[in-house]
Amino acid sequence: MIQLSVIPQSQMPLENNEKTLENKEKFIRMEIDLGLFEAYPTSRLLGFVSKLITLLPSLQDHGPAEGSTDNLVARMHRGIWLGEVIEHVAQELQSLAGMPCRFGMTRTGANPGVYFIVYSFANVHAGVYAGLIAFELVKALADDGTFDIRTAIQKLVGFRFHDEDNTFKRAVVNVAYTSEEWWQAN
């Protein structure tokens, strides 16, 4: 399951971050359920990290998380949960499309496998699409599949030029995918 919502900074559901509050940004909030993949951190998914870095080499530039000295790639080799990977991929996809994303965080939910991801966006259409694509990309690689990154980034670039002053921006966007075995490991 994946649900996305567009929220103003003032309604940020996670702990306040002074840097973020100063930026007065709006965010995409994702709620995802990894299901059985909760048992598979990146270190247990053979070849996952190398496939992801092959698709998005710029992820190597993602610095340390709060409380860590290791960059994202080092942490993925050691083993992090796919929710955090989805956060970074959503941010990086927007950056590659010319819309840098400056903030993101991931927290676990009350139920095992449920994660809350929040990240900023420059264009609401691109932000929502980046979250969906990040989820699809991570799922494809976790399932040992492939992903067409060029087409995804080209579509994101197209979103850069959409008029953001429309009803879509003001509406709460809820997109949900449900499938009984969507995240079931092979």
Side-chain angles (χ1 to χ4, degrees), residues 3 10 21 31 41 61 72-73 85 89 93 95 99 110 141 182:
Q3 294 181 336
S10 62
L21 294 176
E31 179 180 344
D61 298 332
L72 176 65
V73 174
V85 175
V89 170
L93 288 170
S95 293
M99 298 169 283
L141 297 184
W182 217 64

Side-chain angles (χ1 to χ4, degrees), residues 20-168:
T20 304
L21 294 176
E22 290 171 9
N23 292 332
K24 306 236 185 288
E25 295 180 272
K26 293 183 181 168
F27 302 95
I28 303 296
R29 177 187 183 272
M30 293 177 69
E31 179 180 344
I32 61 171
D33 185 345
L34 297 178
L36 295 178
F37 269 104
E38 174 64 5
Y40 295 89
T42 52
S43 59
R44 289 192 60 201
L45 296 169
L46 295 179
F48 177 86
V49 176
S50 61
K51 288 185 288 186
L52 182 60
I53 297 306
T54 298
L55 284 178
L56 296 170
S58 49
L59 284 175
Q60 295 175 85
D61 298 332
H62 283 229
E66 189 177 313
S68 174
T69 57
D70 292 338
N71 72 7
L72 176 65
V73 174
R75 289 183 298 130
M76 285 194 299
H77 281 297
R78 210 172 47 246
I80 62 173
W81 303 110
L82 295 179
E84 185 174 353
V85 175
I86 291 168
E87 169 207 325
H88 283 274
V89 170
Q91 291 177 62
E92 191 58 30
L93 288 170
Q94 291 179 85
S95 293
L96 291 171
M99 298 169 283
C101 183
R102 298 180 301 211
F103 176 80
M105 69 178 160
T106 302
R107 299 293 185 263
T108 57
N111 297 321
V114 174
Y115 289 82
F116 297 97
I117 302 167
V118 175
Y119 57 92
S120 60
F121 62 87
N123 174 295
V124 69
H125 301 280
V128 169
Y129 183 71
L132 294 172
I133 292 306
F135 188 76
E136 294 285 341
L137 185 154
V138 169
K139 181 196 179 318
L141 297 184
D143 280 339
D144 206 22
T146 61
F147 189 83
D148 181 1
I149 194 72
R150 288 179 192 242
T151 301
I153 292 172
Q154 286 172 347
K155 188 165 183 178
L156 278 168
V157 168
F159 284 130
R160 273 179 48 195
F161 305 106
H162 276 206
D163 178 15
E164 289 192 57
D165 189 24
N166 60 33
T167 56
F168 185 80

